Amino acid sequence: MALNDRQKEAVHYLSGPLLVLAGAGSGKTKVITEKILHLTSDGKLAGKHIFAVTFTNKAAREMKERVSQAQRAKEAGQVQISTFHTLGLKMLQRDGKELGYKKNITIYDADDTLGLIKQITHDDAKRADSPLPLLQSQISRWKNAMVVPQTALSQASDDAGYRAAIVYGEYQRLLKAYNAVDFDDLIALPVRLLSEHPDVRERWQNRVRYLLVDEYQDTNAAQYQLMKHLAGPQARFTVVGDDDQSIYAWRGARPENMRTLSDDYPQLMVIKLEQNYRSTSRILRAANQLIGNNPHVFEKRLWSDIGLGEPLRVLQAKDEEHEAHKVVSELLAHKFKARTRFSDYAVLYRSNHQSRLIEKAFRENNIPYRLSGGTSFFSYMEVRDFMAYLRLLVNDDDDAAFLRIINTPRREIGAQTIEKLAHYAQMRGISLFAACFELGLRQHLTDKACDKLSEFGDLIARFSDEAQRGNATACVKALLDATRYREWLVDQAPNPKAAERRLENVADLVSWIERIAERDLKDKNLASVVSHLMLMDILDRNQDEAQSDQVQLMTLHAAKGLEFAHVYIIGMEEELLPHRTSIDEDTIEEERRLAYVGITRARQTLTFTYAEKRRKQGEAVSCEPSRFLGELPEQDLAFERPGQPVDPVQRQEKGQAHLANLRGLLGTR
């Protein structure tokens, strides 16, 4: 695709500092790639002197691939493309000695830093009310804001702040003693290096003769200072970003860096990329009107020549379960009518917990999905535990399942007992389960250990027999009671909320088994149910992300940078989007940007859902539609509420869609 006029202007402008205000879907990555090729063409600049920085390894890889694929300039392959943190590490490895560091610096990850804070405070990180995660976050915020321990101490306004600053100082002292740095130091220390050592700063400015910064709106205070130092007094840089997509304030991003840039560089050139190559005009009109309620340093309006497109639908549901089933029904009907793929659809939400009921509804209707940025249902410990029980009931040769549950819940069967059992089973050429019943085992284990193993074996044998003769669901429920697994889950949970979540997952698994047995399988015994579940598990774990035909489920944060033909944004309610915390803390502007990001992910159709009631802490609470719905252009919205007359054609299409999906599952026509 050829560059448009604004893109060409951004690529060729080299007369001073440049801000490219790149709206969603406006081709910003193409502009950066083309600018790198332009800079290295005709000997303008050696590739090794061009540095391009972004925020994720994925983005850096994509940039490298685009440059290498172009192959229009040999020098382009020498361009230094990396994340901010990778560049910071290179700087410390080369010049960290100026700050007293040796070359072989160790980088501490989040677990390492938490352990170090624990070492300082002697607190228990596993306690539900442990202050360690809060201390870890506070230290990170201080570093991103370039606040040193002495300053943090002088600014402390209460005992908690004073103690945190003391911990921060000791934390930094120990890191230095270990010749270690944490993730935030990879930016903060290079800034200090360039600030305190003019000779080092000059060397790096000679090395970095042109700087490109991607996703500029996500920079924090430290990253902005690093950029300024590297660009030098000649301000040889291009930054590309969109303040309307700045959604990471919680990790230090400062959208106000847009204003700071214009203040620090009065000669700053601003080029706006407003043509969107992704979405219909209705979608962009909604995005523009919504984000227009936020203050802006630079105004812009996205536009598209793709066409007007369909109205944006707003679906009202009675509660969260009704919401999930409406999404399923609408998605299947649309897929059936439009002859699309599941991978054309995405369901977006503000918080990870919202995915649970959508997942459940998708599983019940055998809709393939991929959960991004969350934990898949089959990955939960309690689901894997109980799946292991079921696997062993239908196949007592399954040693992996046996080992997972032999002591879950606790049965006073120790590691040495299991090791000797395994050795005996291997010697006899039999399964671990079969070995539990052999008289010869008593020559290798104490009577008490043998009795415990035999007791477990009898439990499995009894329920295995019941599973073969009786109802699968009844057997599963009775097994849960007999093992007292639910009680054990509660005892093991770190807090009541975690216990409730784990119990809900077990209940969901039992409900799913019941539905599979009753509706989906001709052979309703437990073995058939378990085979079905295991296949779903394998598909869930071994899916090919690039090729699998699955609906994408993800948070609005995780969706940034992606696009989908058809998007559902669920939970459009006050206290969900905008989130309750943002309402309390008056940070609505970032929540509006988050909604804007969600809207601009959609290419062809966009559907919002909200519930009249939603369960909170076990109680049904009335919900208020999100204020953001009221900020969208009314002429582009189509509201659908419960009780409205349903078009007979639509009803028939939805029925046909569900039948088609079921036939696809069963392999029939």
Side-chain angles (χ1 to χ4, degrees):
M1 184 180 70
L3 296 171
N4 63 36
D5 291 343
R6 294 281 76 77
Q7 290 172 331
K8 286 179 186 174
E9 187 180 1
V11 167
H12 292 99
Y13 185 82
L14 298 174
S15 302
L18 172 64
L19 166 63
V20 179
L21 200 63
S26 62
K28 71 177 179 64
T29 307
K30 185 175 181 63
V31 166
I32 294 173
T33 304
E34 290 294 326
K35 186 141 196 174
I36 288 172
L37 295 170
H38 178 65
L39 284 165
T40 55
S41 65
D42 303 326
K44 288 188 186 71
L45 203 57
K48 66 181 181 180
H49 290 307
I50 301 169
F51 283 65
V53 291
T54 187
F55 282 84
T56 66
N57 288 323
K58 181 181 176 184
R61 280 196 305 271
E62 183 183 351
M63 208 182 293
K64 286 178 184 177
E65 287 168 7
R66 291 210 189 186
V67 170
S68 63
Q69 286 168 4
Q71 293 182 338
R72 292 213 312 262
K74 187 177 179 182
E75 280 290 335
Q78 304 299 313
V79 174
Q80 306 295 303
I81 301 174
S82 70
T83 64
F84 270 102
H85 293 88
T86 301
L87 175 59
L89 177 60
K90 287 179 182 176
M91 295 175 72
L92 289 178
Q93 288 172 333
R94 184 184 289 258
D95 294 305
K97 60 183 180 294
E98 304 289 348
L99 298 176
Y101 287 89
K102 301 170 189 171
K103 194 167 185 179
N104 58 334
I105 293 172
T106 299
I107 302 174
Y108 273 27
D109 64 16
D111 288 339
D112 294 328
T113 61
L114 199 63
L116 188 57
I117 297 170
K118 179 182 176 181
Q119 179 183 329
I120 295 166
T121 62
H122 306 290
D123 208 310
D124 183 3
K126 293 181 180 179
R127 272 182 28 225
D129 60 344
S130 171
L132 300 193
L134 290 175
L135 279 170
Q136 188 180 38
S137 297
Q138 180 59 64
I139 290 171
S140 177
R141 284 195 295 272
W142 273 325
K143 290 190 178 188
N144 288 333
M146 299 302 297
V147 175
V148 297
Q150 298 93 320
T151 304
L153 195 60
S154 67
Q155 293 176 347
S157 58
D158 54 26
D159 288 345
Y162 179 81
R163 286 195 297 271
I166 293 291
V167 171
Y168 179 24
E170 181 64 8
Y171 171 84
Q172 280 301 97
R173 188 189 69 78
L174 287 176
L175 274 180
K176 183 73 176 295
Y178 300 152
N179 199 47
V181 296
D182 62 21
F183 196 63
D184 300 309
D185 282 330
L186 295 176
I187 306 297
L189 289 176
V191 170
R192 185 180 147 205
L193 177 70
L194 299 182
S195 300
E196 297 176 1
H197 299 274
D199 55 331
V200 176
R201 182 171 66 244
E202 186 177 350
R203 281 204 308 271
W204 274 99
Q205 287 173 353
N206 286 332
R207 190 173 291 128
V208 183
R209 297 185 187 174
Y210 203 89
L211 180 66
L212 298 109
V213 180
D214 188 21
E215 302 288 6
Y216 173 73
Q217 76 281 349
D218 293 335
T219 54
N220 58 34
Q223 287 158 339
Y224 179 71
Q225 290 300 319
L226 181 62
M227 186 201 86
K228 275 191 69 178
H229 283 310
L230 290 173
Q234 295 183 12
R236 301 158 299 192
F237 66 77
T238 292
V239 301
V240 183
D242 181 6
D243 52 345
D244 290 334
Q245 295 188 73
S246 182
I247 56 174
Y248 297 115
W250 50 275
R251 67 184 188 198
R254 290 164 48 97
E256 56 266 35
N257 279 352
M258 290 281 187
R259 184 178 297 280
T260 305
L261 192 70
S262 61
D263 292 341
D264 288 351
Y265 299 95
Q267 75 275 38
L268 180 72
M269 177 72 166
V270 179
I271 297 175
K272 302 176 186 179
L273 304 184
E274 297 173 296
Q275 182 174 1
N276 176 285
Y277 292 95
R278 174 189 302 163
S279 307
T280 66
S281 294
R282 283 191 198 270
I283 290 170
L284 297 181
R285 195 153 61 194
N288 286 332
Q289 185 158 315
L290 175 73
I291 207 63
N293 290 283
N294 275 5
H296 289 83
V297 179
F298 306 104
E299 296 291 340
K300 72 174 187 308
R301 286 189 70 81
L302 296 177
W303 62 274
S304 165
D305 59 9
I306 291 173
L308 184 61
E310 297 181 23
L312 283 55
R313 300 175 69 208
V314 183
L315 308 181
Q316 178 183 327
K318 296 172 185 174
D319 55 32
E320 62 267 50
E321 290 195 3
H322 186 219
E323 177 185 53
H325 287 292
K326 278 188 81 72
V327 170
V328 165
S329 179
E330 297 292 331
L331 189 153
L332 287 177
H334 187 274
K335 181 178 182 296
F336 178 76
K337 185 177 180 180
R339 297 291 187 264
T340 52
R341 291 167 55 83
F342 283 117
S343 55
D344 292 326
Y345 298 86
V347 180
L348 311 180
Y349 36 81
R350 175 63 176 82
S351 303
N352 273 314
H353 71 85
Q354 291 174 258
S355 72
R356 187 174 159 273
L357 287 174
I358 294 290
E359 279 194 89
K360 182 180 176 183
F362 276 19
R363 290 195 304 270
E364 289 174 4
N365 289 274
N366 298 288
I367 295 175
Y369 67 89
R370 178 174 182 270
L371 184 69
S372 301
T375 305
S376 167
F377 180 74
F378 286 108
S379 298
Y380 286 111
M381 173 269 291
E382 56 274 15
V383 174
R384 303 201 74 76
D385 281 350
F386 213 70
M387 281 292 294
Y389 269 106
L390 302 184
R391 284 165 49 192
L392 195 59
L393 289 188
V394 301
N395 176 17
D396 56 26
D397 288 332
D398 191 336
D399 283 354
F402 181 97
L403 288 170
R404 183 174 184 99
I405 61 171
I406 181 62
N407 217 20
T408 305
R410 299 281 183 260
R411 294 187 175 89
E412 299 178 39
I413 299 172
Q416 285 190 339
T417 297
I418 296 171
E419 186 178 350
K420 290 178 180 178
L421 174 69
H423 179 74
Y424 178 81
Q426 186 177 19
M427 181 179 67
R428 294 277 292 121
I430 57 178
S431 69
L432 295 172
F433 177 80
C436 291
F437 299 100
E438 293 231 333
L439 291 174
L441 184 63
R442 293 188 178 270
Q443 297 175 15
H444 301 266
L445 291 171
T446 64
D447 286 345
K448 181 182 178 182
C450 287
D451 289 343
K452 291 291 182 184
L453 289 171
S454 179
E455 186 179 319
F456 173 72
D458 287 341
L459 174 78
I460 297 300
R462 174 162 61 90
F463 280 98
S464 178
D465 185 53
E466 285 187 21
Q468 291 177 27
R469 292 186 291 103
N471 178 280
T473 309
C475 176
V476 169
K477 290 177 178 177
L479 180 64
L480 268 174
D481 292 337
T483 56
R484 298 183 62 80
Y485 182 74
R486 282 176 290 219
E487 290 84 347
W488 180 78
L489 270 184
V490 173
D491 290 341
Q492 295 297 307
N495 54 62
K497 191 172 182 180
E500 182 182 356
R501 186 169 60 248
R502 292 175 183 179
L503 290 173
E504 284 177 350
N505 285 334
V506 172
D508 281 351
L509 181 60
V510 174
S511 298
W512 194 14
I513 289 168
E514 190 167 18
R515 275 185 289 273
I516 291 170
E518 290 179 357
R519 190 185 66 185
D520 296 338
L521 299 175
K522 294 178 182 178
D523 187 356
K524 302 185 185 302
N525 63 40
L526 188 61
S528 298
V529 174
V530 171
S531 297
H532 184 90
L533 290 170
M534 287 175 66
L535 177 60
M536 295 291 287
D537 184 10
I538 291 167
L539 291 173
D540 194 49
R541 283 184 285 119
N542 297 338
Q543 60 200 349
D544 181 341
E545 292 182 19
Q547 299 177 2
S548 57
D549 185 24
Q550 299 167 309
V551 180
Q552 302 294 303
L553 308 184
M554 64 184 68
T555 63
L556 290 160
H557 283 99
K560 185 171 177 289
L562 304 177
E563 60 181 77
F564 307 93
H566 311 287
V567 169
Y568 293 80
I569 302 180
I570 66 171
M572 288 293 292
E573 300 148 30
E574 292 291 298
E575 300 193 1
L576 268 182
L577 185 66
H579 195 273
R580 180 177 179 177
T581 303
S582 73
I583 297 171
D584 293 342
E585 297 178 357
D586 195 23
T587 54
I588 298 296
E589 289 174 13
E590 174 145 344
E591 293 292 295
R592 189 175 284 112
R593 292 194 290 268
L594 198 54
Y596 173 86
V597 165
I599 291 171
T600 53
R601 298 312 94 197
R603 295 200 301 266
Q604 298 173 28
T605 70
L606 177 60
T607 303
F608 302 100
T609 69
Y610 68 93
E612 292 178 293
K613 292 186 177 181
R614 199 173 288 271
R615 296 193 74 80
K616 295 179 182 177
Q617 298 179 340
E619 183 180 345
V621 177
S622 294
C623 301
E624 183 181 341
S626 170
R627 69 190 70 189
F628 299 148
L629 288 175
E631 295 176 2
L632 301 178
E634 191 174 347
Q635 71 271 24
D636 291 321
L637 302 181
F639 284 85
E640 297 178 26
R641 297 178 173 87
Q644 282 184 334
V646 180
D647 184 340
V649 175
Q650 288 184 350
R651 184 189 289 114
Q652 184 179 12
E653 285 176 351
K654 288 179 182 179
Q656 289 174 333
H658 281 279
L659 282 173
N661 193 53
L662 187 57
R663 289 193 192 104
L665 169 72
L666 299 174
T668 58
R669 296 189 181 277

